[in-house]
């Protein structure tokens, strides 16, 4: 029970409006014994038709009830699979990079213990048209060891963390910001953009309209992943736990809005980074026959001497 409370606090605490504080709803302890029908030969003997019924179930139900694979789930419920990503060991040495943000402005409180995160993702587009996902989070970009690359802070502190991350990335990484609908959203974007511009950073607006559905915004990235155009440098994430949280959030995305238990902040930031870079042209190196060029000939002569 203590382990469940520690690992899943969002499911174990609720806000009591009468007491005006959070209260614990303790989980019921349980024991799971992994087994299949083949571990119960007496059942097969007494009801042989039951095995035939399990074999005739749809694929996912058959995997769960016949083979005991309780991790099986409908693939259609997710738009992303981590196995689509090409795993890179080294950083790209050239290309155009950008870090995109999904913004929130609430801290956990007694009334709302699990608000949305401000989250960011760095992505690079190579001259060959490959997209590379990078973590590369600054030490300040997080709130604890379980949340690095995302955090829940009020606007003032949030903006300072964002600027710190930009300085960590360097001026060759563009900053991509969302624009909420309405006049207030445009003003908030301009104020935030001004902060970065005054520090010498290039700021760009998320090219996807803010009124588009989350699925429409995420689908181009998902399609690129499925077709082998996106890779990831897993070692650029601070540790395996953060990498796993990133993967799980993207795989859990079903198009629905985030909840207290299921967030989509990294989903939105990833989509923004991809949509921005996909519209950017990265110049390729043009290799020409320069054997007769004076500079090359001079270098060759110097090398011979």
């Amino acid at each position: 029970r203590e382990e469940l409370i520690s690992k899943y606090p969002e499911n174990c605490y609720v806000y009591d409006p009468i007491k005006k504080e959070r209260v614990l709803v303790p989980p019921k302890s349980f024991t799971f014994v992994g087994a299949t029908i083949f571990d119960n030969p007496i059942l097969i003997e007494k009801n042989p038709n039951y095995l035939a019924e399990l074999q005739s179930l749809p694929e996912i139900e058959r995997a769960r009830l016949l083979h005991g694979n309780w991790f099986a789930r409908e693939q259609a419920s997710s738009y992303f699979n981590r196995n689509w990503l090409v795993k890179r060991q080294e950083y790209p040495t050239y290309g155009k990079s950008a870090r995109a943000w999904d913004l929130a402005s609430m801290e956990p409180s007694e009334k709302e213990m699990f608000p949305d995160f401000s989250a960011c993702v760095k992505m690079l587009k190579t001259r060959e048209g490959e997209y590379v996902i990078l973590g590369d989070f600054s030490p300040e970009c997080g709130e604890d060891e379980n949340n690095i690359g995302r955090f829940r802070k009020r606007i003032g502190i949030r903006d300072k963390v964002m600027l710190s991350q930009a300085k960590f990335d360097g001026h060759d990484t563009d900053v991509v910001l969302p624009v909420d609908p309405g006049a207030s959203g445009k003003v908030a974007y301009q104020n935030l953009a001004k902060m970065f511009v005054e520090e010498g950073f290039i700021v760009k607006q998320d090219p996807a309209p803010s009124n588009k559905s989350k699925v429409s915004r995420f689908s181009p990235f998902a399609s690129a992943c499925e077709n082998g155009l996106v890779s990831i440098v897993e070692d650029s994430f601070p540790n395996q736990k953060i990498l796993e949280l990133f993967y799980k959030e993207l795989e859990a995305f079903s198009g629905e809005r985030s909840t207290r238990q299921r967030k989509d902040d990294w989903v939105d930031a990833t989509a923004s980074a991809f949509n921005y870079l996909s519209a950017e042209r990265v110049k390729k190196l043009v290799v020409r026959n320069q054997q007769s060029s004076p500079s090359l000939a001079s270098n060759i002569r110097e090398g011979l001497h």
Side-chain angles (χ1 to χ4, degrees):
R1 180 175 299 184
E2 289 74 15
E3 182 182 1
L4 292 175
I5 294 173
S6 174
K7 293 181 66 175
Y8 306 104
E10 65 274 14
N11 294 322
C12 301
Y13 287 93
V14 297
Y15 180 73
D16 188 332
I18 298 177
K19 295 182 178 180
K20 294 184 178 181
E21 62 182 15
R22 62 176 184 172
V23 295
L24 174 65
V25 181
K28 293 183 177 180
S29 61
F30 65 92
T31 300
F32 174 76
V33 179
T36 70
I37 188 175
F38 302 107
D39 296 302
N40 193 349
I42 297 177
L43 175 61
I44 298 177
E45 180 181 349
K46 290 188 175 181
N47 187 3
N49 291 330
Y50 183 57
L51 179 57
E53 292 173 2
L54 293 178
Q55 290 174 329
S56 65
L57 289 173
E59 181 182 357
I60 301 300
E61 291 186 66
R62 184 170 66 251
R64 293 170 178 169
L65 301 179
L66 176 61
H67 303 297
N69 179 13
W70 293 99
F71 295 100
R73 63 174 178 171
E74 297 286 352
Q75 288 297 316
S77 65
S78 176
Y79 293 89
F80 173 83
N81 188 318
R82 70 182 71 184
N83 295 323
W84 293 342
L85 295 178
V86 179
K87 309 304 188 294
R88 292 181 62 124
Q89 299 299 321
E90 76 287 347
Y91 280 62
T93 56
Y94 52 84
K96 184 174 184 60
S97 63
R99 182 177 295 278
W101 289 86
D102 183 61
L103 303 179
S105 57
M106 289 182 62
E107 293 182 346
S109 63
E110 292 293 336
K111 189 172 184 179
E112 180 51 71
M113 293 180 57
F114 307 100
D116 288 342
F117 291 89
S118 291
C120 63
V121 173
K122 185 177 180 180
M123 194 175 293
L124 184 143
K125 182 179 181 180
T126 70
R127 296 188 181 101
E128 292 74 29
E130 177 191 9
Y131 298 85
V132 184
I133 299 172
L134 301 166
D136 284 347
F137 303 118
S138 74
E140 293 81 11
C141 189
E143 54 186 46
D144 54 46
E145 61 180 7
N146 297 318
N147 291 303
I148 303 175
R150 61 180 189 174
F151 54 88
R152 293 165 292 193
K153 300 294 183 182
R154 296 190 182 277
I155 292 178
I157 300 178
R158 181 201 70 186
D159 294 353
K160 291 180 180 178
V161 173
M162 294 175 67
L163 185 57
S164 173
Q165 178 65 64
K167 293 178 179 179
F168 185 85
D169 290 328
H171 288 86
D172 58 343
T173 298
D174 294 354
V175 180
V176 182
L177 303 175
V179 182
D180 292 334
S184 60
K186 293 181 180 179
V187 172
Y189 168 80
Q190 290 173 348
N191 290 336
L192 197 53
K194 181 181 179 181
M195 177 187 73
F196 287 106
V197 170
E198 290 178 346
E199 294 288 340
F201 295 100
I202 296 176
V203 182
K204 297 293 184 177
Q205 180 178 326
D206 184 345
S210 56
N211 57 357
K212 287 185 67 174
S213 70
K214 288 180 176 289
V215 171
S216 298
R217 290 163 49 85
F218 188 75
S219 292
F221 167 75
S223 177
C225 292
E226 192 170 6
N227 285 282
L229 301 177
V230 183
S231 61
I232 185 171
V233 180
E234 294 187 330
D235 289 343
S236 68
F237 285 75
N239 54 59
Q240 188 64 35
K241 186 172 184 178
I242 299 301
L243 177 65
E244 184 67 18
L245 287 173
F246 176 77
Y247 278 147
K248 283 186 175 180
E249 181 175 310
L250 267 60
E251 288 178 331
F253 176 66
S254 62
E256 299 179 359
R257 298 190 68 85
S258 65
T259 65
R260 298 173 78 237
Q261 290 80 25
R262 188 187 68 254
K263 300 299 183 183
D264 59 9
D265 312 296
W266 268 324
V267 169
D268 290 341
T270 303
S272 295
F274 178 84
N275 292 333
Y276 168 68
L277 289 175
S278 64
E280 293 291 306
R281 296 184 62 183
V282 181
K283 294 182 180 179
K284 294 184 178 181
L285 288 174
V286 179
V287 180
R288 297 186 177 92
N289 184 359
Q290 298 180 343
Q291 292 295 325
S292 60
S293 68
S295 60
L296 183 59
S298 174
N299 291 337
I300 292 175
R301 285 195 298 271
E302 292 179 5
L304 291 175
H305 288 298

